[in-house]
Amino acid sequence: MALSTLTWVSMLVSLLLLPGVAAAVLVRSLRTEERKLALLREQDDVDSYSPRALSDLREWIRANPDDPYAPIARRRYNECVRSLRAIDEPHYDWSDEQIARLELVDE
Amino acid sequence: MRINFGISWDYQTHYNSVHIYFPLTTPTIVAHPYNYLLFKALGRIIMSDSEARTAREEWGSRFGFLMAMLGAMVGAGNIWRMPFTTGENGGGAFLVAYILLLYLIAVPGLMAETMIGRYTNNGVIGAFKQVLGSKRAQGLGLVVLIVNVALMSYYAPIIGWALYYAGHSVLMTFTQPGFQPQAFWDGFINNPALVVGMHTVTMAGLAGVLVFGIRRGIERVVKWMIPLLVVALVAVSIRGITLPGGMEGVAFVFTPDWGYLTRGSTWVAALSQALFSTGLGWGIALTYGSYLSRYDDVPLGGGLFTAIGNTSIGLLAVFATFPVVFAFGLEPSAGSNLLFISMAQVFPELPGGSLWAIVFFVSFFFATFTSGLGITEVAVTTVSEETRLSRTGAVLASCGAIWLFGLPSAYSSAFLGRMDFMFGSFGLPLATLSIIALVAWKFGPERARVLDLNRNAGIYVGPWWNPVVKYVIPVVMVFILGYGVYSSIGTSNQRLMLLGVAFMAALVVVSTVVMSVVGDEPPSGSAAVPGGDD
């Protein structure tokens, strides 16, 4: 039985959006882990937030200084800043200028 | 107390994993490769203040965690439900609705559940205890636990069925001359000793894996079962599609009938499939997430890969079953009968049928068994944390309780169906609501997102995530609960529905009361404990 064009398109799009995406995510996840481990072995440390994620965290800390979770947020923020200053090669896409502009927050 | 320890380097993975042995203590601490930083501080960990502290076990590798999540979420429903649900609801049109809802609801929901597990490093009751901070509120954790145990009590006999058929496929029973699939099924299901026996073997098998823990137990098994399941489904799919008439099955499933997108029933079916087949809110993602290390990613693996990978296997099941169903003129809506009766009658007629029967039934057993591991681990982790039992004791207690509660379902398929209706329709949405409410309404989505979800993440999750978790998922769950009630009114299930709703309401009340009596007092009084793993 010959399939209609619409059926072919429907099937191929489903294959692309499901197994295709799943396979791509699996490969990316495994490669990311491999790179993170290599950095950890070389540098003993790795940055824990991406520039956008750390910026979000900083904004949240500023907006919620008395939140019960603020101490852990500040600790995690500073931990990431200290890591970025200590390591040669960040895991995330940080530029030297971005790292230089980062400041620790009061814990 | 003096503790001897030794160190070995494990090259099973390509990372230098560190095993730290404590011969005089019960647990063997197995550190994640990421935790070699922790290892540097070994002296402090091993003996401080003359007391040994044991670190929480962690996944040995990223691949192991991903396969465990996938294995837990891929179950019988993916193989016997998704193909028919797709074909029955407009084929490609259903897939459009389904994929949309999967990305919109299931992926963010799984991110939330895995994140709260990783953040609290606790099982279901411990997570509620840490975030909510009150003894009474821990009752919601108990609700999730009880729903899981109840669900596993009737899922275990189904794994037993799969094991029985997998065993007979290896014995080549299905290709013996004169084999009668209906008589074979009736002979099995109407033999209580045999069904209860398979249920017992299943629970013993699960206990035998779980007793070894996360890395040496679950991870070791799923790392080969899940890839083999995928390979087997691909092989059966290719065989099915190349059968004369097999493409008709593909046409039935994938030809879109766009009119179905305007029907409410299509969207309800897509919602149910997207939520329940991905295992959102069962406590599995929370429990498995609690064994992640601080350096692990949550949104990419715990959210995106788990939801999409699970559905991908459902799609493979479509290719594996429907071409065969149409090629042999079988009834596509037969549900569990499709596997155990209809498919069993196909293999004698296939060239190399014995081999295809083994591939098909063994892979089906793998799908169900790995789900059983995930569901049971929810109980094992919680019991070991909330009682003084060791891991072995918690495994024996949890598996023993599930085995005992599963006896009625093993004995009577009708009872199993009633349990499935009650806990599938009302228990699971309640458990999902509890877990999502914990993240969305107590922890807070923005706090969760900036503090933990995006920490060491493989993808950045933006603020769009907050309203989805806070409003969309709870509304959808309430809608599904309401729809289950509404659609049962005036049907033969009405009485069972009323019983289910009453039972779930009572479960919440009793669990709350029980935990307010026996629950642990939070360390800082009534205030929630920030927690975190640092």
Side-chain angles (χ1 to χ4, degrees):
Chain A
M1 179 193 176
L3 299 181
S4 68
T5 309
L6 193 58
T7 306
W8 274 110
V9 170
S10 168
M11 184 171 69
L12 292 175
V13 169
S14 302
L15 286 171
L16 189 70
L17 286 177
L18 294 170
V21 171
V25 169
L26 178 64
V27 169
R28 181 175 166 165
S29 186
L30 295 177
R31 282 188 179 169
T32 303
E33 189 208 24
E34 206 165 329
R35 179 173 144 71
K36 212 182 276 182
L37 281 173
L39 290 172
L40 270 170
R41 278 198 212 98
E42 287 166 19
Q43 307 175 149
D44 272 7
D45 203 356
V46 71
D47 44 323
S48 46
Y49 291 95
S50 68
R52 271 202 293 180
L54 196 69
S55 169
D56 285 353
L57 185 59
R58 185 172 56 239
E59 289 307 313
W60 185 86
I61 290 169
R62 277 186 192 151
N64 303 277
D66 301 321
D67 189 278
Y69 289 79
I72 190 169
R74 285 191 283 266
R75 196 160 65 242
R76 286 184 176 192
Y77 179 87
N78 286 344
E79 178 192 81
C80 184
V81 173
R82 287 193 190 101
S83 296
L84 282 164
R85 287 175 181 171
I87 58 179
D88 295 326
E89 191 182 349
H91 171 63
Y92 292 106
D93 193 18
W94 287 94
S95 67
D96 290 341
E97 292 74 30
Q98 282 175 314
I99 296 170
R101 282 199 300 272
L102 290 173
E103 288 177 8
L104 295 172
V105 296
D106 293 334
E107 287 192 47
Chain B
M1 189 168 89
R2 183 169 169 268
I3 294 177
N4 300 315
F5 63 93
I7 301 163
S8 77
W9 294 88
D10 177 11
Y11 292 99
Q12 276 185 337
T13 63
H14 58 286
Y15 312 116
N16 292 334
S17 311
V18 183
H19 291 233
I20 309 164
Y21 297 104
F22 288 75
L24 298 183
T25 55
T26 309
T28 298
I29 298 178
V30 183
H32 187 278
Y34 284 149
N35 264 2
Y36 82 100
L37 290 176
L38 182 76
F39 172 69
K40 288 169 69 176
L42 194 58
R44 274 177 289 149
I45 293 171
I46 292 170
M47 290 296 291
S48 62
D49 304 321
S50 304
E51 265 187 32
R53 290 196 289 130
T54 54
R56 186 180 175 79
E57 198 181 354
E58 289 176 353
W59 296 102
S61 68
R62 184 80 186 148
F63 185 70
F65 166 69
L66 295 176
M67 290 303 107
M69 287 286 277
L70 197 55
M73 307 315 183
V74 171
N78 291 72
I79 296 180
W80 77 43
R81 189 164 181 262
M82 180 156 169
F84 179 68
T85 309
T86 306
E88 197 187 33
N89 289 284
F94 171 83
L95 286 174
V96 168
Y98 176 64
I99 291 170
L100 191 71
L101 293 170
L102 187 76
Y103 279 93
L104 184 71
I105 295 173
V107 170
L110 279 168
M111 285 178 184
E113 189 181 341
T114 313
M115 169 261 146
I116 202 69
R118 201 263 300 259
Y119 181 82
T120 59
N121 277 158
N122 269 306
V124 286
I125 291 180
F128 278 84
K129 188 190 307 176
Q130 193 178 117
V131 175
L132 289 167
S134 82
K135 283 170 68 174
R136 227 177 3 182
Q138 294 167 33
L140 286 177
L142 186 60
V143 168
V144 177
L145 176 68
I146 291 172
V147 167
N148 255 275
V149 169
L151 192 134
M152 190 58 202
S153 77
Y154 66 84
Y155 195 67
I158 296 174
I159 304 174
W161 303 353
L163 177 59
Y164 185 74
Y165 269 69
H168 273 280
S169 70
V170 174
L171 295 171
M172 299 186 181
T173 305
F174 306 123
T175 47
Q176 294 295 315
F179 170 73
Q180 294 293 325
Q182 183 69 53
F184 182 79
W185 170 250
D186 290 342
F188 168 59
I189 208 72
N190 294 321
N191 185 338
L194 201 49
V195 181
V196 169
M198 294 315 297
H199 169 57
T200 307
V201 171
T202 297
M203 288 317 302
L206 289 170
V209 174
L210 292 172
V211 80
F212 287 102
I214 296 296
R215 184 176 179 182
R216 292 191 302 145
I218 296 172
E219 189 171 339
R220 188 178 281 179
V221 169
V222 296
K223 271 164 79 172
W224 60 269
M225 272 193 180
I226 298 304
L228 278 179
L229 167 67
V230 173
V231 169
L233 285 175
V234 169
V236 178
S237 300
I238 292 169
R239 185 69 196 97
I241 289 170
T242 52
L243 284 170
M247 290 305 271
E248 284 178 32
V250 175
F252 173 74
V253 175
F254 288 103
T255 304
D257 183 345
W258 301 116
Y260 275 87
L261 282 180
T262 61
R263 297 182 187 180
S265 59
T266 304
W267 289 92
V268 171
L271 263 180
S272 303
Q273 187 73 23
L275 285 171
F276 298 129
S277 80
T278 53
L280 170 64
W282 296 28
I284 300 171
L286 186 155
T287 303
Y288 277 4
S290 75
Y291 293 103
L292 286 172
S293 86
R294 55 180 292 189
Y295 290 106
D296 273 312
D297 145 86
V298 166
L300 191 63
L304 199 60
F305 177 75
T306 303
I308 307 299
N310 166 72
T311 309
S312 302
I313 292 188
L315 196 71
L316 280 180
V318 169
F319 284 105
T321 52
F322 265 49
V324 177
V325 164
F326 276 74
F328 286 89
L330 306 175
E331 172 53 54
S333 62
S336 58
N337 284 357
L338 176 69
L339 264 89
F340 296 118
I341 301 169
S342 305
M343 291 298 281
Q345 78 186 45
V346 163
F347 296 111
E349 299 179 41
L350 275 176
S354 301
L355 178 67
W356 290 112
I358 294 172
V359 171
F360 184 80
F361 284 114
V362 170
S363 64
F364 179 61
F365 168 68
F366 286 173
T368 56
F369 189 77
T370 50
S371 295
L373 288 174
I375 302 168
T376 311
E377 179 59 38
V378 174
V380 171
T381 294
T382 306
V383 169
S384 64
E385 284 172 359
E386 303 302 323
T387 68
R388 294 182 180 184
L389 291 174
S390 64
R391 169 93 193 174
T392 305
V395 168
L396 292 176
S398 304
C399 291
I402 291 168
W403 173 81
L404 192 64
F405 295 134
L407 287 177
S409 295
Y411 185 76
S412 160
S413 299
F415 185 84
L416 188 153
R418 283 195 285 274
M419 287 285 285
D420 187 33
F421 178 79
M422 272 178 55
F423 284 93
S425 304
F426 308 109
L428 283 178
L430 181 65
T432 307
L433 262 179
S434 304
I435 288 178
I436 292 298
L438 181 72
V439 181
W441 294 90
K442 181 60 188 176
F443 199 92
E446 177 64 1
R447 190 155 55 189
R449 187 181 72 82
V450 301
L451 196 61
D452 206 70
L453 188 62
N454 277 328
R455 191 185 194 207
N456 291 302
I459 47 168
Y460 170 77
V461 180
W464 60 266
W465 185 77
N466 302 349
V468 172
V469 173
K470 189 161 186 175
Y471 301 112
V472 178
I473 298 176
V475 166
V476 164
M477 295 316 300
V478 171
F479 169 75
I480 286 183
L481 269 169
Y483 188 81
V485 171
Y486 171 75
S487 60
S488 300
I489 294 171
T491 69
S492 57
N493 280 333
Q494 181 171 315
R495 203 172 151 193
L496 201 55
M497 175 271 288
L498 292 171
L499 186 66
V501 172
F503 183 83
M504 296 310 153
L507 183 62
V508 173
V509 173
V510 171
S511 298
T512 306
V513 171
V514 166
M515 290 312 290
S516 64
V517 174
V518 304
D520 291 336
E521 199 66 61
S524 54
S526 60
V529 184
D533 58 358
D534 345 31

